[in-house]
Structures are given as C-alpha cells and as structure tokens.
Amino acid sequence: MKKHFLLLPVLGAALAGCPANSLKTAGSADGKPDILRAALDTTVAPGDDFFSYANGTWIKNNPIPASESNMGIGKKVQDEVYARLRQTSIEAADAKAAAGSNQQKIGDFWAVGMDSVKADKLGATPLKAELDRIAAMKTAADVPGVIAHEIPLGVRALIGPRVGQDDKNSDKMVLYLRQSGLGLPNRDYYFNTDTRTKNIRAEYLKHVANTFKLLGQDEATAKTNADKVMALETALAKSSRKLEALRDPYANYHKMSIAQLNKLTPGIEWKSWLAQMEFTNVDTVIVGQPEFYQTVGQLLKTKPVADWKAYLTWRVAGSFAPTLSSQFVNENFHFYSTVLRGAKEIRPRWKRVLDMQENALGDALGQLFVKEYFKPEAKARYDTLVKNVTTAFAEHIQKLDWMSAPTKVVALDKLHKITPKVGYPDKWKDYSSLKIDRSSLAENVMRANLWDYHYELNKLGKPVDRTEWGMTPQTYNAYYNGSNNEIVLPAAAFAIPGLLDADADDALVYGYAGASTIGHELTHGFDDEGSQYDAHGNLHEWWSKEDRQRFNQRVNGIVKQFNGYTLLDSLHINGKATAGENIADLGGIVIGLDAFKKTKQYKEGKKINGLTPVQRYFLGYALGWQMHVRDESLASQLLTDVHSPAQYRVNGPMADVPAFYEAFGIKPGQKLYRPDSTRVVIW
C-alpha cells in the first residue's frame, strides 16, 4: 500500500473526546479550559519562532521522561490509552475467557508478556528451533530455504517481499520485492563519515557482538561474527537507495517475469524460492530496486556459509530480543533506544507489552475502544469537517492561476473520488486462526507475525478489498493511500489531551484536525508523489506537460526552502526527501483556513482569551506538533524520516502563508519573514 503518513509526535494510540486530568489549562470566561492560551510562551515573538511562541510554556512544563526520546502531545494521548489498554488486558487475563475468544488472546498475551521471571528463566530458548535451523546449514545453497522460513516469522532477512496493489493497476494484488535486510536504520548509517554516525557504527558492532555473547559465543567468536555481519550488511547498504530516491514511484517500479528476475540475479531460482515462502502460482513480480537484488544474487554466490550463519543468527536474535530475557531486552534497548535515540532508561515493561499486543491484536482491541470512547456525536463532527475541508480544497483548485482548465477538471475528479474513512472500520480482522497462549512472549509474537504474513499472502489473486484499514482506530496517526485514493483518519487522530471534544472551539479543531490531519492527507493526493496517481489509484500521468512543469517549479521552491534549515551543527533537513510532507503541511494550512472561514466562529470574530479566531486557528495547527526531542533522536530523524522535525512543520509552512503574517503582524526583519517573491504557493 502506498501510504503517506501524517507523522504525529508519536505513533501511539488514543481516542477522540477523552479528557485527561494531567494537563493544566488556562480557563476562558465560560470556565472551559483553554489549552492554546496555556501553552503560549509570550516571551517569544510569533514572527521569530511561531513554534516556540505557540508551544513554549507547554514544553517547559513537560520535560522529556528518562524512558523516552521525545515528549509531545502524542505521548499525552498515548498515556491515556495505555491506561485503558492496561486495565482491559488485566481484566482479560483474569477472566477465564472461552478458548479462542479475543478476550482469551488479549489476556494470555498480556499475562505471559508481563511474566518477566518466566522470560528470564527461558532466556533464548524460544528461539532454539530457529537458531538450530541456521546452525544446521551445510553450504550457501541452504541459505535461501532458511530465509524463506524466517521472513514469515517477522525477520527482515536479506530480501523484502510484500503483497500490495499494483501501482499501475490498482485493482490487482501483486508481489513486490523491496530492498531490505539492514540492522541499522538505512544505508547512510553505513557510509556517512561525520563523528556522530561513525560512533553509531562502532556501537552497532559492539551491540551485535554482545548479542552473540548472550547466545553463548565466546568473545573472540562473537567479535568475528559481528564483523561478518557488518561486512555483509555494508554490501547490501551499498546497493540500497537513499531515502529521497525511494520516493520516485516510476523509478521504483520494475515489473518482471520470473524468467527476467532469474536473469537479473544469476544463480537464484526464484520460482522455487518463492514457493518456499508460499508464493505459489506467481508469474510476475515488481522489483523496486533491481541493483539491490543483483547484489543479493552475487552475495549468495560468493559469501561462505559461515557468514550467512552469522548474519541470520543476528537477524533472528535481534528481531526478537525485546521478547526475551532481561539481558537481551537491555542490550537491545541500549543500542536502539539509547545510542540511536537518546533515551536514558527503558520504558516500563507493561507499556512495551502493550505495544507488542497492539501489533498482534490491534483490531481486537480497537473493537473494545470505539464502542466506549468514540461517540456518535464525535464521529458526526469529523465527518462534517472532512466534507468542509474537501469543499475548500475544490475551491482552491478552481482558483489556481498556474493550472490549466483541462487539468483542473481531472484534479477535481480525483479529489471528489477520494474516499474518507473516519474513526473506525465497518468490519474487523478475524483472529480465530491465531493461536495465543502463555508459553512465551516470543512465541506469541512469532505466531502473530506468521498470522499477519498469511493474512497478506492470501490477498494475492483476489479482488482488492478497498474497505480495509491499514491502521487501528486507537492509532494516533493518519494516512493517504494512493492506490485506493483514500484518506484514513483513525479516531485517535482527533484526540486532544485534557479537553473534551465538545469543549474544543472550531478554530482549534479546524487547525488541529482540519489542517494538520484532514487537509494534510487530502493534499497528499496532490503532492510530488501522490499527484502521479490518478483518481482510480493508478500510476498514470494525468497532467499536461506544461502543468507538471509549473507544479515542479513550485515543488522545487519548497525543496530549496527546507534544504536551508540547518540543525545540530552541520545536519540539515533533506528538502527532497521531505517534500511530500512539507507540501501537505502547507496545503493543509491554507485549505483548512478557508474551510474555517465559513464557520460561525470566524464570521463573528470574537476573541477568546485575547486571541482572534484566526490566531486560534494557527495555534490549533501548532498544537498538533507540540513536542520536543533529544538530539540523538533528531539526528536519526533527519537521516531516516520523510517528515521534517516538528518545529519546522510549524515555522516552515507558516512563513509561506500571508494570512499568518496578517494575523500576527509579521514584519520584515523578523526571522520567519520571507518576501512575497520567495513564498511558496502550491495549493
């Protein structure tokens, strides 16, 4: 699925309209809380740093916990839901529910997950069968068969098969092969020469060696095997594409027959290999990065079996380390959370178990949540909000001075065919074939991964289910799916911690949900990548050549703007990699504002706590990015994420919006001020 995620401060979970007691808020004249006023830092000029002006006091009052790499509104929302998930799980564990029921599965997953004594006693025993299978390999010819066994269990080993809609025929489910198999976040970590990244590489080698030692290897053997892992992964990384290169859908689409794939990778017999992974009757595949698979073929021919044993042992142990004994858990935490993201202490076990449970049984939990926490009146409000923002977008398209009339007709057709999914799905996943028991956390996670693998595998050759959701309703996120031409807006995306939905004024809601979520996702259908898909979700050029050129000129303007933002000494935002998200942020703001201008609150123009409706709208947008992060996490984001850091998701687009200048009196000489001629205008 082609998903463009609205990366809210964390990928967590929450539900709309649920109040929290932990957030102190200023009150308005009618006694209702005003979280926008409470968050302001009026020592900062809006024209110098609107992000800090809007969120500064909240950030000062909400330091980053030692167990986290960031702190933001998403963490507050997530904590509310964690509390409910925890109570639900405890009740399920004590309920003696019917075998095979969702409640039994939730309860057993929770009970064994929380049993740290049992986990410590088991050590790496839950992985014994997989590790023995790897150790039994005699020659490199045995490697593909072992990889075919590990991938369905959730191990990212060497290759990346997945089932998805054909980018050029969205009614057909096909097999994709993507670059994969790295233990570091992406290729840049293997080659960048700055001190920060070089240190991460050194720590990674230690981490891999330490994991081998936990498996019983002596220090010398562990070090030798870690070196083998690094050499093999570096070879894979060398043929992996950079973050920005992965955003070009045409350049990452290479449909091949099995015979052509065999020719691309001499020595690999793909029909047999795919059959081992249960991909039967597959005659064509779509290869994302052919050069990567050429390297895969070369490595399978040239690397000795000892190297593959080291690599696959590491991939299995690393994949499931969080589910094993405390030694494995702590070693995994040290590298992936402390070294990479700066967390000082590990998160409570119950939160980590809830995260795994969400991945395994998300829809089962979702059914319980929406029934109690996402009320019909909240859904009705956001259904209406989607319609209003869509109408405003249509008016924007009609008024564009750079798009020709024929292309506008096609653009409007695509907009009106975008399917909005609001709150929760109409049907839920059936987990009846998934076995969950109290044997071990690792085994439950492996079985859940295998269930999910078969769930996706079974879509091959069948009609596309366009009603399916790719997120659970308790997920604090949203996405645009180009292949379905849809926006998916989970209930949690509308949650405002500390505030009942009924107490949130339209200005706040249109900024927070209308701009940063709904307008943002709608705009993804027309960003640098999404605009290449037509109304039916097919990769197809529906623009005139001249319109595309004019559009690309504007995209180049936003790329240049964000390339100019430097953070953490020499690191800067990757304007090309983040272009789609930056376009969507800017589009969401201007479209959401026009939708808000039709409301009673805007027309009356009354101030609340000294803030005009338009000021509150912009502050509502900034509320969605109310967060701060550790330097280590920020550095990682700049290398691996297509989303700009939160501060620049506010300050960047605001600097391009004339109504923002008017609302806050932005003048030349202030840091955010950009002359008219340099302001980016797209949608």
Side-chain angles (χ1 to χ4, degrees):
M1 296 172 68
K2 301 291 292 185
K3 293 177 184 174
H4 302 269
F5 286 28
L6 161 64
L7 186 64
L8 293 166
V10 294
L11 300 183
L15 296 167
C18 300
N21 298 320
S22 58
L23 186 63
K24 295 180 180 179
T25 57
S28 60
D30 58 7
K32 294 180 179 179
D34 187 0
I35 61 173
L36 298 181
R37 168 59 69 179
L40 293 184
D41 182 354
T42 56
T43 67
V44 179
D48 287 334
D49 182 354
F50 185 63
F51 172 84
S52 295
Y53 167 76
N55 297 317
T57 294
W58 187 93
I59 288 172
K60 290 174 185 175
N61 291 335
N62 291 272
I64 301 173
S67 61
E68 305 293 342
S69 59
N70 65 72
M71 183 59 188
I73 188 171
K75 294 290 188 190
K76 294 289 188 180
V77 172
Q78 188 178 40
D79 283 344
E80 290 180 6
V81 174
Y82 271 147
R84 299 182 186 112
L85 280 168
R86 186 182 194 181
Q87 187 59 37
T88 298
S89 298
I90 291 171
E91 291 172 359
D94 294 336
K96 297 181 180 179
S101 67
N102 282 345
Q103 189 179 35
Q104 173 263 310
K105 291 169 184 176
I106 291 170
D108 282 1
F109 195 103
W110 170 261
V112 76
M114 289 303 296
D115 193 345
S116 59
V117 174
K118 182 171 187 175
D120 285 345
K121 183 178 179 180
L122 288 172
T125 302
L127 306 184
K128 186 177 186 303
E130 306 312 318
L131 298 176
D132 286 350
R133 181 177 285 105
I134 295 166
M137 293 191 301
K138 301 298 184 185
T139 70
D142 297 327
V143 172
V146 173
I147 289 174
H149 185 85
E150 304 304 338
I151 283 177
L153 297 177
V155 181
R156 295 178 68 249
L158 190 63
I159 62 174
R162 71 170 182 87
V163 177
Q165 287 164 271
D166 188 332
D167 275 349
K168 294 186 178 180
N169 182 5
S170 64
D171 290 327
K172 186 176 182 180
M173 301 298 290
V174 295
L175 177 62
Y176 281 84
L177 290 174
R178 303 283 193 181
Q179 64 188 45
S180 186
L182 303 181
L184 287 168
N186 67 15
R187 74 176 310 281
D188 291 342
Y189 281 86
Y190 293 86
F191 302 112
N192 285 5
T193 57
D194 60 283
T195 301
R196 188 190 306 274
T197 308
K198 286 168 68 175
N199 176 64
I200 288 172
R201 275 199 298 274
E203 289 292 326
Y204 180 60
L205 261 177
K206 294 178 187 176
H207 169 56
V208 176
N210 286 341
T211 302
F212 282 133
K213 285 190 279 187
L214 290 176
L215 292 174
Q217 297 180 10
D218 62 55
E219 187 163 351
T221 303
K223 184 181 183 307
T224 298
N225 283 333
D227 288 338
K228 290 176 180 178
V229 169
M230 180 61 94
L232 202 156
E233 289 188 3
T234 301
L236 292 174
K238 189 174 183 180
S239 296
S240 298
R241 295 186 182 178
K242 285 180 172 286
L243 185 64
E244 59 269 27
L246 294 172
R247 286 186 46 76
D248 184 337
Y250 285 100
N252 291 278
Y253 184 98
H254 306 274
K255 184 173 284 190
M256 299 182 183
S257 66
I258 296 299
Q260 289 173 317
L261 184 56
N262 286 339
K263 186 176 180 180
L264 176 73
T265 59
I268 300 179
E269 209 295 292
W270 279 97
K271 186 173 184 179
S272 172
W273 198 7
L274 292 174
Q276 288 177 302
M277 289 180 274
E278 301 182 68
F279 293 109
T280 56
N281 301 319
V282 173
D283 54 9
T284 60
V285 297
I286 298 174
V287 180
Q289 302 76 33
E291 67 279 14
F292 178 85
Y293 280 89
Q294 286 178 316
T295 295
V296 167
Q298 292 166 0
L299 291 173
L300 285 171
K301 286 193 299 184
T302 59
K303 287 287 184 181
V305 69
D307 290 29
W308 290 109
K309 286 183 178 181
Y311 171 74
L312 291 174
T313 297
W314 156 240
R315 296 308 300 140
V316 168
S319 296
F320 297 107
T323 71
L324 302 176
S325 65
S326 57
Q327 289 178 305
F328 285 94
V329 170
N330 292 334
E331 178 59 40
N332 179 271
F333 163 78
H334 172 71
F335 180 74
Y336 285 106
S337 294
T338 299
V339 174
L340 277 183
R341 296 181 177 85
K344 307 304 181 186
E345 63 184 42
I346 197 164
R347 299 169 74 226
R349 185 178 185 90
W350 64 272
K351 287 187 176 181
R352 290 179 276 125
V353 171
L354 288 177
D355 287 343
M356 296 180 207
Q357 186 175 260
E358 168 72 11
N359 289 333
L361 296 161
D363 266 28
L365 294 166
Q367 292 178 66
L368 300 176
F369 281 124
V370 298
K371 189 180 297 183
E372 186 172 355
Y373 297 112
F374 194 59
K375 302 300 183 183
E377 55 269 27
K379 188 175 189 311
R381 181 179 196 177
Y382 294 105
D383 280 335
T384 300
L385 189 56
V386 170
K387 292 176 184 176
N388 293 346
V389 176
T390 302
T391 298
F393 199 173
E395 293 168 353
H396 268 255
I397 291 172
Q398 291 166 339
K399 295 175 184 177
L400 290 175
D401 60 4
W402 58 266
M403 181 179 280
S404 65
T407 301
K408 285 182 180 180
V409 171
V410 185
L412 287 168
D413 179 59
K414 175 174 181 176
L415 174 66
H416 290 308
K417 286 179 177 174
I418 290 178
T419 301
K421 296 178 177 178
V422 181
Y424 50 88
D426 293 326
K427 63 180 181 179
W428 304 91
K429 291 179 180 177
D430 178 4
Y431 294 109
S432 58
S433 62
L434 171 59
K435 178 184 176 182
I436 297 293
D437 60 24
R438 303 193 182 193
S439 54
S440 75
L441 177 60
E443 288 171 275
N444 280 339
V445 169
M446 281 190 275
R447 285 192 290 256
N449 289 344
L450 185 60
W451 181 92
D452 190 65
Y453 180 84
H454 285 132
Y455 180 85
E456 297 298 326
L457 174 70
N458 289 335
K459 295 176 182 178
L460 271 178
K462 296 179 181 177
V464 174
D465 181 3
R466 294 182 185 267
T467 68
E468 184 180 9
W469 281 51
M471 285 180 179
T472 62
Q474 64 269 24
T475 301
Y476 188 55
N477 207 334
Y479 65 88
Y480 169 74
N481 177 352
S483 293
N484 276 352
N485 194 32
E486 67 183 6
I487 56 172
V488 181
L489 311 166
F494 306 123
I496 306 172
L499 192 67
L500 284 168
D501 185 74
D503 290 340
D505 59 297
D506 275 344
L508 187 161
V509 169
Y510 271 78
Y512 180 73
S516 75
T517 306
I518 298 166
H520 175 103
E521 298 306 338
L522 287 172
T523 306
H524 267 315
F526 302 87
D527 68 16
D528 61 320
E529 186 176 0
S531 65
Q532 299 183 72
Y533 293 80
D534 64 21
H536 301 288
N538 294 318
L539 190 56
H540 166 71
E541 182 57 277
W542 50 270
W543 301 60
S544 72
K545 182 178 179 181
E546 294 75 20
D547 285 322
R548 177 62 73 180
Q549 288 175 341
R550 287 190 287 267
F551 174 74
N552 286 340
Q553 288 174 353
R554 284 159 176 76
V555 172
N556 289 338
I558 209 164
V559 169
K560 181 179 179 181
Q561 176 185 347
F562 279 80
N563 275 338
Y565 296 134
T566 301
L567 302 82
L568 297 178
D569 302 324
S570 62
L571 293 179
H572 66 85
I573 296 174
N574 185 332
K576 190 171 183 180
T578 59
E581 298 300 330
N582 299 331
I583 292 167
D585 286 339
L586 177 58
I589 291 169
V590 297
I591 294 161
L593 179 59
D594 278 2
F596 173 59
K597 286 181 177 179
K598 297 178 182 180
T599 66
K600 178 182 178 181
Q601 183 181 4
Y602 173 81
K603 292 174 181 177
E604 289 181 346
K606 296 178 182 178
K607 290 184 177 181
I608 298 176
N609 280 332
L611 298 169
T612 69
V614 176
Q615 287 175 330
R616 292 183 65 80
Y617 168 82
F618 287 121
L619 290 170
Y621 173 84
L623 176 68
W625 310 112
Q626 189 179 72
M627 69 176 300
H628 53 137
V629 304
R630 299 191 191 279
D631 286 352
E632 295 90 342
S633 183
L634 180 58
S636 177
Q637 181 181 354
L638 291 170
L639 285 179
T640 64
D641 203 335
V642 296
H643 303 79
S644 297
Q647 182 175 1
Y648 293 90
R649 298 194 72 170
V650 175
N651 290 344
M654 289 299 172
D656 293 318
V657 179
F660 167 70
Y661 286 67
E662 181 180 349
F664 290 96
I666 312 303
K667 305 294 183 184
Q670 293 187 296
K671 294 177 182 178
L672 295 187
Y673 183 88
R674 290 166 62 88
D676 288 351
S677 60
T678 66
R679 295 177 199 167
V680 178
V681 179
I682 303 179
W683 296 106

